[in-house]
Amino acid sequence: MFLVQFPFRTMLSRKGFQLVVKPPFYSNIRSNFTSRGELYNKCYTILGVTENSDQNTVRHAYLALVKKLHPDSGHPEASADRFHEVDTAFRVLLQKFSKSRRGLVEDLQEEVKVFDIRHTAPQHRQYLSFDGVGHGTPAQRQKQYQAVRAQRAQERVLEHRMSKAQASEMAVMKKGDFFKKHQIKTKYGFDRVVEDLIQEAMSRGDFSNLSGFGKPLPDHQSQNPYVDFTTHKINKIMLDNGFTPEWITLHKEIREECDGLKSDLAKERGKLGELPLSPQDEYKWEKVLEAHESVVASLNKKVDKFNLIVPVLNRQMVRIELAQLGQKVLETEKHKGQIKKEEELQSSVNYPKDASKVSIFSFIGS
């Protein structure tokens, strides 16, 4: 183990039997010297303008190049290295123009030290770009970084909209609460005034001589609280004159015709045998249903009309399906065998009309 002392750094190193001396990290920095005039000319060349261009011309040239070379521009010529070179040249020229405005005279032959950025930058500089987002090649990481930026922008827009909506909602709520409190105060104050006036009138006896005093109100005075006064009066006039709304009359007709249809089908069912029906009974039943198709069609037209004019949605009716109704009648109504058994049972239970008299007279005669 050998100890090598340098005036600027102390190193400990051993490789086999050979002493290895490592210089400090900044000894690898490559730099060169150039005149200030050559540096300015190079900056003008990078920006693509002449050496006699003013600051405004240089600025426009810089903006045009930045729009193409910026890594986030999406332009085919976009390049991070080229963009950095243009940006550095523009900043050098800005310093030149600033000194000239202050009246400072520069020596163009003076040598200045220029560093080579490719060797002075750390070797892991690619990991410092794109905010550390993504993995893979630089092109892949750039695409991933653009996607992340778009997502962040979308989230910020959403947060902004939500904050605006919440702010407007809070403002409306505050405004609504203010007016609501004001209305409540006004309403309660007005109610108190009205109540005081009513009590004063009652104490004076102003209500004692009214017609119908102490009697219950008639039925026609009751009003539906969900109907406005004009509609209530119109309905009252029509009811007093014996008028019935069309939807009520139509509903009554539909129910009566449905009951008649069911009774007709039940009578026809009584002429057939029990389930399952024989081929002859099936043929007869199909003929019965065909005969009632016109009745069902007329009923369905009335049902459609009723559903259009009925004022309450939950009072609407369902169209009649003849096949379903016929199947229900077949399953629930009595068939021919059941009716015959009931008739026989009824005839066996019935007594003669004068059976009681005959038994009494026979008892007396005996």
Side-chain angles (χ1 to χ4, degrees):
M1 182 72 66
F2 296 91
L3 177 63
V4 182
Q5 183 73 31
F6 288 93
F8 49 84
R9 190 174 182 185
T10 302
M11 298 289 299
L12 288 174
S13 178
R14 182 178 181 182
K15 186 175 181 182
F17 298 99
Q18 182 181 3
L19 177 65
V20 178
V21 179
K22 294 184 178 180
F25 70 96
Y26 50 78
S27 64
N28 286 332
I29 297 177
R30 297 184 183 180
S31 61
N32 53 3
F33 292 88
T34 182
S35 63
R36 193 178 300 276
E38 292 179 358
L39 176 62
Y40 289 156
N41 293 336
K42 184 177 180 181
C43 292
Y44 283 121
T45 304
I46 291 173
L47 294 176
V49 295
T50 60
E51 299 176 0
N52 299 325
S53 301
D54 56 355
Q55 184 176 355
N56 194 21
T57 304
V58 171
R59 179 176 175 275
H60 285 296
Y62 168 73
L63 293 177
L65 289 173
V66 163
K67 290 179 181 179
K68 295 190 300 182
L69 301 178
H70 196 277
D72 295 336
S73 64
H75 196 272
E77 299 180 7
S79 172
D81 296 337
R82 185 84 173 90
F83 170 77
H84 181 76
E85 185 180 12
V86 171
D87 186 66
T88 304
F90 178 68
R91 294 180 185 278
V92 171
L93 293 179
L94 283 182
Q95 293 179 0
K96 173 182 178 298
F97 293 135
S98 177
K99 291 179 181 179
S100 63
R101 283 196 304 270
R102 296 198 301 268
L104 300 178
V105 180
E106 294 183 294
D107 185 7
L108 299 181
Q109 301 300 326
E110 180 185 0
E111 291 187 350
V112 293
K113 193 173 184 179
V114 181
F115 295 94
D116 188 355
I117 187 63
R118 290 176 298 177
H119 298 279
T120 57
Q123 298 301 315
H124 58 280
R125 62 184 180 275
Q126 66 270 19
Y127 299 104
L128 300 178
S129 59
F130 308 121
D131 295 340
V133 175
H135 60 278
T137 63
Q140 294 174 348
R141 296 182 68 246
Q142 182 178 1
K143 291 182 180 179
Q144 297 169 9
Y145 179 63
Q146 290 176 354
V148 171
R149 288 190 62 191
Q151 184 178 0
R152 291 175 181 173
Q154 186 177 4
E155 292 176 355
R156 287 195 294 269
V157 170
L158 181 60
E159 291 177 359
H160 176 67
R161 290 180 179 176
M162 290 179 63
S163 61
K164 285 184 62 178
Q166 291 176 357
S168 60
E169 184 178 358
M170 291 297 296
V172 171
M173 290 176 62
K174 291 180 180 179
K175 185 177 180 181
D177 291 341
F178 172 76
F179 285 107
K180 188 175 181 181
K181 293 177 182 177
H182 182 69
Q183 291 176 358
I184 291 173
K185 290 181 180 179
T186 305
K187 179 181 177 182
Y188 288 164
F190 185 75
D191 289 345
R192 286 196 297 270
V193 172
V194 172
E195 187 66 25
D196 293 341
L197 293 175
I198 292 174
Q199 293 296 332
E200 291 178 3
M202 291 176 63
S203 62
R204 292 194 303 266
D206 295 342
F207 299 148
S208 301
N209 298 326
L210 296 177
S211 59
F213 177 75
K215 298 179 181 179
L217 294 175
D219 295 336
H220 63 81
Q221 293 293 337
S222 60
Q223 180 179 349
N224 187 356
Y226 302 102
V227 178
D228 59 284
F229 180 76
T230 304
T231 305
H232 170 71
K233 296 300 291 184
I234 293 174
N235 292 337
K236 179 178 178 298
I237 293 171
M238 290 191 297
L239 290 174
D240 292 343
N241 290 275
F243 176 80
T244 305
E246 183 181 4
W247 66 274
I248 295 178
T249 306
L250 191 59
H251 186 261
K252 183 179 179 181
E253 293 178 2
I254 293 173
R255 285 187 300 173
E256 291 177 353
E257 292 185 11
C258 284
D259 293 340
L261 176 62
K262 291 179 181 179
S263 62
D264 292 343
L265 293 177
K267 290 179 181 178
E268 296 296 334
R269 176 68 180 94
K271 300 177 182 179
L272 305 176
E274 60 181 353
L275 294 176
L277 298 178
S278 62
Q280 295 179 354
D281 290 344
E282 287 184 359
Y283 178 76
K284 292 179 181 179
W285 185 248
E286 290 177 359
K287 290 296 182 181
V288 170
L289 295 181
E290 290 177 1
H292 289 82
E293 286 181 354
S294 59
V295 178
V296 173
S298 176
L299 269 173
N300 286 332
K301 288 182 180 179
K302 292 183 179 181
V303 169
D304 294 338
K305 183 179 179 181
F306 173 80
N307 292 337
L308 291 175
I309 63 176
V310 64
V312 185
L313 187 63
N314 57 5
R315 295 296 301 272
Q316 290 184 346
M317 303 178 67
V318 182
R319 290 171 60 90
I320 300 172
E321 296 291 339
L322 184 58
Q324 296 180 2
L325 181 61
Q327 185 65 27
K328 185 177 180 181
V329 170
L330 283 175
E331 295 175 354
T332 57
E333 297 296 334
K334 300 176 183 178
H335 55 80
K336 181 170 59 177
Q338 291 176 339
I339 295 175
K340 186 178 292 186
K341 288 181 180 179
E342 290 180 357
E343 291 177 354
E344 292 176 356
L345 182 61
Q346 187 69 23
S347 61
S348 63
V349 172
N350 289 337
Y351 293 96
K353 295 182 180 180
D354 298 334
S356 59
K357 295 181 180 180
V358 172
S359 60
I360 293 173
F361 290 135
S362 61
F363 177 75
I364 294 173
S366 61

